[in-house]
Amino acid sequence: MADAPLRKALDASDNAIAISDSARRVVYVNDGFTRLFGYASDEVLGKLLSDVLLGPYSDPGLLENIREHIKTDGRFHFDTLLYSKTGQPLWVSMVVNGSDDASGGPGGSITILTDITLTKMHEVLQTRVLEGMVNELPLPDLMELVCREVERIAPEVTASILAVDGQGRLRPLAAPSLPPSIARAIDGIAIGPCAGSCGTAAFRNAPVVVTDIATDPLWADYRTLVSPTGLRACWSSPIRDHNGKPIGTFAFYYRESRAPDALHERLVDVCLHLCALAIEREATHQRIHQLAFFDALTGLPNRSMFHTSAELALSDLQQSARPAALLFVNLDRFKQINDTQGHGAGDTVLCEVAKRLTQCLRARDLIGRLSGDEFVLLLSECPTRQAVQTAQRMLDAIAQPMDIKGQTNVPQACIGIAIYPDDGDTVDTLLRHADQAMAQAKSNHRHTLQLFSAEMNRRAQERAALERALQQALAERSLTLHYQPQVLSNSTRTLHGVEALARWQHPEWGKVAPGQFIPVAEETGLIHALTLWLLDEACRQLAAWRATGYNVPSVAVNLSGYSFHRPEFAQEIHDALERHGLRPIDILLEITESVMMDASAVTLANIDALHRNGFRLSLDDFGTGYSSLSYLHRLPIAELKLDKAFVQDLTTSPAARALTVSVLSIAHSLDMVVVAEGVETAEQQQWLQAHGCPVLQGYLFGKPLAADELEAWLCAQAPLRD
């Protein structure tokens, strides 16, 4: 065939080389052919190459394809699946060249075959699996694809893929060539040191080779499971996540007692990465779904998930004209638990309440956590009476004592109930009405339930309209300030200062009382904007009075406790005075007892900053709350305002007189000014003057006045004109 040097060179090649004559019979193969396919040259010579190398999964049109290309192009290049002497499938790159000079004479050919099995494994498996991921193929289908591709490449193996769940139990994903009964039998088996090949491989986090299932102790509890299948050996490898934790197993079963060969090892190397990628991707999808639709703390459906499920439930109920009840649950004094025992205790309470509520439900009912300490439930096919009974059971269940780190807690709640379809035919309407009923329950009495009524809705609509109008009024600066004089007790024609009071004249509703819009501002968060407007407007007006010669010593401005929780509040007050050319001594800042008692770092920092900058603080409505004398001593309070409730009873109530004397004594000893509010009669004035109250305020001296009216009042007090 060829001379010795050429033969030597051909034998040294890593490629398999075969030369055929014009009859397509093999006349030469090199040593590379023997190394790749396992055939000695005398086993191939004189035979058709196709008879030697083609197998069950080879391309049936391969020979015709070769002939056509040789005839037209003189050569052929193609990747195809061939088989070794042992039946091992091999992917090869085939190059066939026609050669008139071949030793077989004209019409012969030279075939060069290169092993690309590993490359093809990567290419075929990765391409198909990654395409499946892109197309959102379900994980079991994706894993079945891997098993079938592996079994096509290596027909002697039976592949199986299992997942390991969060509790360390095996969950079948794919085993298309195993009986379904096996998957059912191993579903839920715990991994462990003696749990077959797969359970042990996951437990050890290392490959496990069992060459004889019938005798290996690892299979003692499971060999009867596979013995009817004829499987004799099993090699299982752990599928690890990016942190190295076992999240599944990939197993090869054999019908003879044997260990894996090199091809099997290469296949597993490729597949383990793909399986890990697919399983982690599925876990990520589930995690994203959990985060998107379920509450992370309690595991209950969140607002979005509940809303969607409730819409579907109402749609079914509508078709059958059956009632339902939506329950809105809100815990009582939950903030107190967080504040006194810590947020960990609060979380424990929420989880336990979620569990107790769930235990009160039927299978067809829905539950969700909206936010914070709010839960919502939809009771399907539930008339009003049954809804009330269920809600009461829930209140009783919630109120069972629970132990949190040795401390007994007795949670309580209020529940609002809206009935479908009487109180609304959409989820949003039912939620809104149940929320209103819950709020009514809280205002009536703690730990109780309340059915929704049309009157509640009317009040809620009015409040919502008031909120919108107040927001607009603040944006347009259409509120006004009135100023009530404060006079010195020893000379009631001498002005001590004025208190700025917000007034609202609505274009349609007329006068809106502060008792109506101030609580709405506090509940909706508009109070800070209202406070800043009031402060700015009072400063502007005081600067204007002084520019025109009116001697107003100072303006008292009521500050919201909510604003003290904002770190920038002290600076905002300073900026307001600076804009209008005023000094801190020109403005008296009135705070409530709740601000004085607030020990939060932000509030204390604001109070300290105001004091350092020379601002004076006045304690409003002193004596009506939960005053602490220690706070009066510690905080920079310059003035106490005696609440009008005491002033009104001075002439009739010994208790009111005794308390007032005590307040005056405390203030005098602490060098504080006392302003008595609500002075309306000469008798009240005389008593206060006789007992040394330095400043008086009330209708006896002047009602709250618009700016121009106060100017007229000032003109009437001749000594006050500057």
Side-chain angles (χ1 to χ4, degrees), residues 25 54 66 159 181 271 308 340 343 402 416 467 481 517 519 530 546 548 560 656 658 673 685 704:
R25 303 280 177 179
L54 296 186
I66 293 173
S181 58
C271 293
T308 301
T340 59
H343 288 276
M402 66 174 68
E467 178 186 342
L481 283 185
F517 69 83
L530 178 59
R546 291 185 174 176
T548 53
S560 161
V673 175
Q685 174 192 353

Side-chain angles (χ1 to χ4, degrees), residues 111-153:
T111 301
I112 302 172
L113 303 163
T114 305
D115 184 6
I116 59 168
T117 302
L118 185 58
T119 302
K120 205 66 179 179
M121 274 192 277
H122 281 277
E123 178 184 320
V124 173
L125 281 167
Q126 287 192 3
T127 299
R128 295 202 63 183
V129 172
L130 294 177
E131 281 179 355
M133 290 185 187
V134 170
N135 294 325
E136 298 293 335
L137 200 65
L139 182 63
D141 294 348
L142 205 57
M143 295 297 92
E144 182 170 333
L145 184 152
V146 171
C147 290
R148 292 198 181 281
E149 282 298 319
V150 164
E151 291 171 355
R152 186 175 69 83
I153 293 171

Side-chain angles (χ1 to χ4, degrees), residues 580-621:
H580 298 286
L582 300 178
R583 302 165 299 163
I585 197 69
D586 297 326
I587 296 292
L588 189 69
L589 305 176
E590 293 191 4
I591 63 173
T592 62
E593 293 188 27
S594 62
V595 174
M596 184 182 72
M597 301 286 285
D598 188 348
S600 69
V602 177
T603 296
L604 294 176
N606 274 314
I607 291 175
D608 181 63
L610 293 172
H611 180 57
R612 283 188 285 103
N613 287 319
F615 287 96
R616 295 174 298 147
L617 297 181
S618 172
L619 186 58
D620 197 15
D621 299 335

Side-chain angles (χ1 to χ4, degrees), residues 25 30-31 69 80 131 146 319 379 477 564 592 596-597 644 663 674:
R25 303 280 177 179
N30 70 340
D31 288 352
H69 279 80
T80 191
E131 281 179 355
V146 171
Q319 295 177 8
L379 311 181
R477 298 180 72 88
F564 277 88
T592 62
M596 184 182 72
M597 301 286 285
K644 61 184 179 181
V663 171
V674 175

Side-chain angles (χ1 to χ4, degrees), residues 612-677:
R612 283 188 285 103
N613 287 319
F615 287 96
R616 295 174 298 147
L617 297 181
S618 172
L619 186 58
D620 197 15
D621 299 335
F622 183 73
T624 62
Y626 37 81
S627 303
S628 171
L629 297 182
S630 65
Y631 282 87
L632 287 179
H633 172 68
R634 287 164 46 196
L635 296 180
I637 306 296
E639 178 182 282
L640 298 180
K641 298 197 74 175
L642 184 66
D643 188 76
K644 61 184 179 181
F646 294 108
V647 175
Q648 289 171 352
D649 295 339
L650 282 176
T651 58
T652 59
S653 170
R657 290 193 292 268
L659 288 171
T660 302
V661 169
S662 298
V663 171
L664 290 169
S665 176
I666 291 169
H668 178 74
S669 65
L670 295 175
D671 196 25
M672 295 178 182
V673 175
V674 175
V675 178
E677 295 183 293

Side-chain angles (χ1 to χ4, degrees), residues 212-224:
D212 188 358
I213 291 174
T215 60
D216 197 295
L218 294 181
W219 279 84
D221 296 333
Y222 309 104
R223 62 172 55 101
T224 56

